[in-house]
Amino acid sequence: DVESMVRDLVGAAVRQIEREKIDSVRPQAEMQALYRLAELLDDERPPRRRRGPPMSDNPIVRQAFEIFGQKFEDAYPEDVEPEDDDAERRRRQRRRRLMKRIAAGHFDDAEVEIETEEAANPFVQVFTPQGMEEMGLDSGNIGSPFPPRRTTRRVKVSEARGMLFEEEARKMVDRAGLHRDAVERTEQTGIIFIDELDKVAGKSGGSGPDVSREGVQRDLLPIIEGSTVATKFGPVKTDYILFVAAG
């Protein structure tokens, strides 16, 4: 299947542009990954236990403080349930401190439980008239017949940080725009090297192996001269792709 070289080329363009787009959103994705890790570590912290009932529930204790012109809350702030706004503010402050410590590597050996996306079916083989092609289905696309499956794993923070970064970065990348850019880059700046071209140069009117060589020539020439090849990322025109042959 001589068209597979064009499919390989556009696949390489997709991986190249995807890496470029991930690098462009790296600061935001890393910050989001750190925040998610801080949430996980904060949620796994054991709650603070009080020894017996809080003294704030005892009216006699409160009256004793008032006699001396003091407030119970000033002396024992931890025994007083904070307001909702105060609790949320303290939670955000605590998680910001955790983010700084995670970024500094203080929690690299700690373990957290994270959910990751795993494609239910990473690829299927579709038999086309041109031959067998491995048609990878993009699980991130809307309407995919194989939606991503969520799996729970317990990993070290150092490993979880990289996994969450990749997941957050891919969320920020426009998949449809990425595929369009990959097709355009393939058509305008693609280069394909064809080595040992003499292996398909057969004499006309032959038989046996020469017949199959002529078949390869017949399929190869239209692509080099300029035609449209169907790929899973869209049709690719080969008019301006540079073919370098040797042999």
Side-chain angles (χ1 to χ4, degrees), residues 180-195:
R180 287 195 301 269
D181 293 345
V183 170
E184 182 179 358
R185 184 174 296 188
T186 300
E187 292 177 341
Q188 301 298 325
T189 64
I191 302 175
I192 293 179
F193 294 88
I194 306 176
D195 196 11

Side-chain angles (χ1 to χ4, degrees), residues 166-177:
E166 288 288 339
E167 186 175 326
E168 292 298 328
R170 292 182 190 280
K171 288 179 185 177
M172 299 178 185
V173 172
D174 177 18
R175 306 297 298 181

